[in-house]
Amino acid sequence: DTGVSQDPRHKITKRGQNVTFRCDPISEHNRLYWYRQTLGQGPEFLTYFQNEAQLEKSRLLSDRFSAERPKGSFSTLEIQRTEQGDSAMYLCASSSYGYTFGSGTRLTVV
Amino acid sequence: AQTVTQSQPEMSVQEAETVTLSCTYDTSESDYYLFWYKQPPSRQMILVIRQEAYKQQNATENRFSVNFQKAAKSFSLKISDSQLGDAAMYFCAYRSGNTNAGKSTFGDGTTLTVKP
C-alpha cells in the first residue's frame, strides 16, 4: 500500500462544466476526508466518511458539491457547474491517528 | 467553534540552528489532539508530530519537539539542527477527542525558510 492516491493531479475546466475527482485511501483506514486549500491558506474541511457513511458535511459546501464513497473504499468528489471561485487544491486524506494526505488535485476554472 | 491561529506567516532560520513556530488555539473541550503538518513546495502534506491533550509530557520526534501549554492553549513546534529539507509550510491543526468528530481545524500556516 503506497499511501493515499488522488486522480487527476491537475484539472483545467471551463466555467459551468462538471468535474469529478477520485481518491483511493490507505486500505486499513476507515475514515476518509476531503479538504480544500487555496494559496497561502490552511486546508478547509469539506466532508468526511467513515466507511461508506458520510458523517459530516461543511456548510461551506454548496449544493453543487457532492461526495460519495461506495462500499467504503475509494471516494469521488464531484463539482457541478464549476465557478472560478472553485479553483483550489482539493486534498484527500485518510486517517488512523493523524492524517495521511494525498498529493491533491489542483483545479483551475477558466 | 474551534479556531487555530498561527501568528507568524513567515520565519527563517540558519542551517543547523533552532527555530520555534508558534500556534495558539481556542476550544472549550478538554479532550483533543494537536498536530503539526509539513507541506514542502509542490509536495504533499505530511504529519510531523502529534500531541494528545491528556498527556502532560511534550511529544518529541527526532529533531522535532513541541511545547504544549494546555492552560495557555499554546502549542509551539521546535525544530533543532535545522536542515535545508525542513524548508516548507508548517500547519498547526486541532482535532476534537470526541470519537464521532472527524474533522481537523487548521491554521493558515507558517512558511519556514532555511538559509545555508
Side-chain angles (χ1 to χ4, degrees):
Chain A
D1 197 338
T2 57
V4 178
S5 300
Q6 290 190 246
D7 183 68
R9 292 290 301 273
H10 303 276
K11 178 71 176 178
I12 299 174
T13 190
K14 291 184 178 180
R15 189 176 55 178
Q17 298 293 304
N18 299 344
V19 294
T20 300
F21 311 140
R22 177 179 170 124
C23 172
D24 287 88
I26 294 174
S27 56
E28 306 90 75
H29 293 174
N30 59 6
R31 288 193 172 187
L32 183 149
Y33 305 81
W34 285 99
Y35 281 80
R36 178 173 64 189
Q37 186 180 24
T38 53
L39 197 61
Q41 303 289 315
E44 286 182 297
F45 171 77
L46 294 178
T47 189
Y48 92 94
F49 294 83
Q50 180 155 318
N51 299 314
E52 66 274 11
Q54 187 174 19
L55 296 188
E56 189 174 351
K57 188 175 175 179
S58 168
R59 287 170 290 177
L60 296 173
L61 227 57
S62 74
D63 291 342
R64 297 184 297 106
F65 288 72
S66 62
E68 293 182 342
R69 193 183 182 195
K71 301 179 183 177
S73 55
F74 71 93
S75 176
T76 58
L77 177 69
E78 181 183 17
I79 309 175
Q80 297 182 327
R81 304 181 303 282
T82 52
E83 303 173 355
Q84 286 189 320
D86 298 331
S87 295
M89 175 75 84
Y90 289 83
L91 298 171
C92 176
S94 64
S95 81
S96 54
Y97 252 154
Y99 289 156
T100 301
F101 281 93
S103 298
T105 294
R106 182 168 296 282
L107 174 66
T108 303
V109 182
V110 297
Chain B
Q2 293 82 20
T3 58
V4 176
T5 302
Q6 294 179 248
S7 59
Q8 306 154 315
E10 297 178 349
M11 291 282 284
S12 67
V13 63
Q14 205 70 35
E15 194 175 7
E17 298 292 308
T18 295
V19 65
T20 298
L21 308 184
S22 300
C23 173
T24 58
Y25 58 95
D26 188 27
T27 185
S28 59
E29 298 178 324
S30 58
D31 184 22
Y32 51 87
Y33 301 90
L34 296 165
F35 306 87
W36 279 98
Y37 290 89
K38 171 186 177 182
Q39 188 175 39
S42 301
R43 296 182 62 185
Q44 68 194 86
M45 196 174 306
I46 59 172
L47 177 64
V48 174
I49 199 165
R50 184 193 73 189
Q51 176 79 43
E52 292 90 341
Y54 64 83
K55 289 186 177 179
Q56 292 188 334
Q57 187 172 7
N58 288 324
T60 298
E61 289 286 343
N62 300 313
R63 298 183 295 107
F64 297 87
S65 62
V66 299
N67 184 4
F68 173 48
Q69 301 289 325
K70 191 172 185 179
K73 297 180 182 175
S74 170
F75 183 61
S76 60
L77 175 70
K78 186 172 81 171
I79 307 173
S80 304
D81 185 25
S82 297
Q83 301 175 359
L84 296 178
D86 295 333
M89 199 156 185
Y90 287 81
F91 292 96
C92 178
Y94 170 102
R95 195 185 84 203
S96 170
N98 182 336
T99 53
N100 293 322
K103 68 179 182 182
S104 290
T105 300
F106 287 79
D108 283 337
T110 296
T111 299
L112 178 66
T113 301
V114 181
K115 298 178 180 178

